[in-house]
Structure formats: structure tokens, C-alpha cells
Amino acid sequence: MKKTILVYGISLAALVGLLRFVEYRFFIHDLSLEFYVGTVALLFTGLGIWAGQKLTRRRTVLVNPNFALNETELRRLAISPRELEVLELISKGLSNQEIADQLFVSVNTIKTHTSNLFLKLDVKRRTQAIQRAKELQFIP
Amino acid sequence: MKKTILVYGISLAALVGLLRFVEYRFFIHDLSLEFYVGTVALLFTGLGIWAGQKLTRRRTVLVNPNFALNETELRRLAISPRELEVLELISKGLSNQEIADQLFVSVNTIKTHTSNLFLKLDVKRRTQAIQRAKELQFIP
DNA sequence: GGAAAAATCACACCTTCGTATGAGGGCTTC
DNA sequence: GAAGCCCTCATACGAAGGTGTGATTTTTCC
């Protein structure tokens, strides 16, 4: 988190610097204010997406009125929030690669999560994991 | 089915013949009636298992009071009984090999079924197939 | 601020899954 | 009895999944 904020600050400074540089170096004073503002907006939108991604990462499980998560069992099996998240995506039929893309991590990471998950759920395959997770009310 | 009945009949005749042969050839008249009856029972149990296997292969889907199979959709997608059977086993978390063992066919056959199934369900993976099958009420 | 837990990633290796293609036998239906 | 569907099986190949090991970074919590 500290690193995230640091990177954000540095990027911010760097972008501002770059804009100033471009502005002076290539004599684009005559470019319209709209263009300038647009560019800034665009760049900071990207930066914002990245930072928001990092900072607001879902810590709580999604709420569903018709589904009560069995947290007792979840704790008993020592399943971490991230693992539960991966489990949900597995149950939605996503591949490891797709899960990795969605969570912005590498496939290897997902494989680690699934592997640990299978150990904790005492299963051998993702299809079994889905079954088991439903039984245990980890997923709707 | 005709073939099954034929094989059953032939086997039946063959076994009776074999028993008579053994009975006379090796002078085992003195073996107890219990032994004789036991042997017959054993052999015909095996034959019965085989025939029953062949003849009573589930053509109808299992009945579950809390689950109504969506047969309309099933027909619309032209999913065959065998495919549905495989689909159910997939949803139970079984591997292709395990399904093959359970249905007494080869893995290749199961692969063919699953492949056709995925086409009809318009999915790419078995986990997706499970999701889709639940949506369509093909499985509980 | 240090220990513990959680999350991240890599890489090699093996297994299982899925696709493509072709083929043969059994049953139904016209 | 030919056409068509279903079920069966094979083989080969590429894609995805799963295991084992080890390591670093982040986050949490006392």
C-alpha cells in the first residue's frame, strides 16, 4: 500500500514533468487548451484506474440476499479471502488464465491459490471443488 | 437389445450344459446339493448382473422431487440421454476416466460425448458446462 | 517494528482435458 | 433397405490444469 501511494506520487510528478517538457521542447503552445486538458485527463484516468485497482481491492465478499456464506466453515478450513475469490471465479467456469486476467495477477499465482484451495477442500479437481464449495455454502 | 437377449440365452444354455457335463464327467454326484445350488446361484448371479447392466441401462433420468428436468430445452439442444448422463457425472466432479469406468466405456467415448456436449451447450470447458447445465435446469 | 499470515511469482514436470478426424455397429423410421 | 441418429472407439496433438519447490513482497496484528 505504501508502495502503491509512492508509485502514484512519482508517476504523477513524472507525468506533469513530461507534459511540461513536451510543451516547451516541441513548441506546442499553440495546441488548443482542449487538447492539453484532454491529454492530462487521459493520462490521469489511466493512473487513477491503476491506483484505484490497487487500493480498493475487494476485501469483503459480494453480498447476495439469497445467499448466506458459511463463514464458520470457511475459518475452520482456513480459506483466505483471496482463495475464496478464486473459488468463486472457478465456479463461474473461468480458466486459470481468465481468472488471472480478471484479478490482475499471473497464472502462476492462480495456480498456487487453486492448489492450496484443493488441499483445504480435500479435492483433486476444480469440478470437485465446485461441488464441495456448494455443499459447504462457500458459493451460491 | 436383441443381441443382449440372444447372448443371455446362449450363456444360459451353455452354463446349464457345463454344469451337467461337470456333474457327470467328474462324478461329483456326491457333492452336496448345497454346493451345486450355490454354484448355479453364483454363475447366474454373474450372468444376471451382466444382463441387468445391459438391459436396464438408465434411459430415463433419475427422479428427484426437488428437481424438474427441463426437457423442452433438452430437446431443443438435441442432447441425447447418454450425453445428459455424462453431463451429470461431470457436474459431480468426476474425471473423464472415472466417468468412463462408471459407464463401462472407454475414455475416448467420454471425450466424444463431452466434446459434443460442449458444442451443444456452447461452452469451452467442463466447469462452464456445469454452470450452463444448472441454468438450463439439466442438473439440480 | 517484528512475527505471522497472505499474496505474489517462477519454473519444471506430469496429468487431464478438449479438438479434429475417421470409422463401425445398432436401432428406428419411412 | 437406406437414411439418420446414437453410441462406441481410436489416435494424435495442442491446450489447460495440477504438483512441488522455493522465494520475495505485502499486509496484518500485537
Side-chain angles (χ1 to χ4, degrees):
Chain A
M1 185 162 291
K2 264 178 298 185
K3 186 183 160 195
T4 299
I5 292 171
L6 192 70
V7 173
Y8 183 88
I10 291 174
S11 302
L12 200 144
L15 283 173
V16 169
L18 182 69
L19 281 171
R20 290 223 154 258
F21 174 78
V22 169
E23 196 175 354
Y24 286 114
R25 187 74 176 72
F26 300 102
F27 309 101
I28 53 173
H29 295 89
D30 49 350
L31 278 182
S32 72
L33 180 65
E34 283 78 7
F35 178 80
Y36 183 76
V37 170
T39 307
V40 171
L42 220 58
L43 290 172
F44 279 86
T45 298
L47 195 57
I49 287 172
W50 171 79
Q53 186 73 74
K54 275 286 187 181
L55 296 172
T56 69
R57 205 174 59 197
R58 182 161 58 109
R59 299 247 177 262
T60 55
V61 183
L62 83 168
V63 270
N64 180 336
N66 301 318
F67 172 69
L69 180 68
N70 185 348
E71 302 200 35
T72 314
E73 200 63 12
L74 210 55
R75 266 192 296 276
R76 196 177 68 76
L77 297 183
I79 290 173
S80 76
R82 197 56 154 177
E83 284 166 355
L84 179 59
E85 206 168 356
V86 171
L87 184 54
E88 286 168 3
L89 295 176
I90 284 179
S91 82
K92 287 183 180 164
L94 273 64
S95 68
N96 285 337
Q97 185 59 63
E98 287 167 345
I99 296 172
D101 292 346
Q102 184 152 337
L103 299 182
F104 299 98
V105 296
S106 93
V107 196
N108 295 306
T109 304
I110 300 303
K111 284 188 177 187
T112 304
H113 284 317
T114 57
S115 202
N116 291 332
L117 217 33
F118 295 167
L119 266 181
K120 293 175 181 177
L121 291 175
D122 189 29
V123 297
K124 289 227 156 293
R125 276 179 292 284
R126 49 179 53 214
T127 47
Q128 280 185 344
I130 294 174
Q131 271 282 100
R132 188 117 185 76
K134 299 216 177 202
E135 280 171 23
L136 296 171
Q137 293 184 65
F138 290 165
I139 54 176
Chain B
M1 184 163 295
K2 263 179 295 184
K3 186 183 159 195
T4 299
I5 291 172
L6 193 69
V7 173
Y8 183 87
I10 291 173
S11 302
L12 198 145
L15 283 173
V16 169
L18 182 69
L19 281 172
R20 290 224 156 257
F21 174 76
V22 168
E23 197 175 350
Y24 286 111
R25 185 76 178 73
F26 299 104
F27 309 102
I28 52 170
H29 296 88
D30 49 348
L31 280 180
S32 72
L33 181 65
E34 283 78 11
F35 178 80
Y36 183 76
V37 170
T39 306
V40 172
L42 221 60
L43 289 171
F44 279 86
T45 298
L47 194 58
I49 288 173
W50 171 80
Q53 186 74 70
K54 275 286 187 181
L55 295 174
T56 70
R57 205 175 64 198
R58 186 158 55 106
R59 298 247 181 261
T60 54
V61 183
L62 83 169
V63 270
N64 181 333
N66 301 318
F67 173 68
L69 180 69
N70 186 347
E71 303 199 35
T72 314
E73 200 64 13
L74 210 54
R75 267 192 295 276
R76 196 178 70 75
L77 297 183
I79 290 174
S80 76
R82 195 57 153 178
E83 284 166 357
L84 179 59
E85 208 168 355
V86 171
L87 184 54
E88 286 168 2
L89 295 176
I90 285 178
S91 83
K92 286 182 180 165
L94 273 63
S95 68
N96 285 337
Q97 184 60 64
E98 288 166 345
I99 295 172
D101 291 345
Q102 184 152 338
L103 299 183
F104 300 99
V105 296
S106 95
V107 196
N108 295 306
T109 305
I110 301 303
K111 284 189 178 187
T112 304
H113 285 318
T114 56
S115 202
N116 292 331
L117 218 33
F118 295 167
L119 266 181
K120 292 174 183 178
L121 290 174
D122 189 28
V123 298
K124 289 226 155 294
R125 276 178 294 282
R126 48 178 54 215
T127 47
Q128 280 184 344
I130 294 174
Q131 271 282 103
R132 189 117 182 75
K134 298 214 178 206
E135 281 171 22
L136 296 172
Q137 293 183 67
F138 291 163
I139 54 176

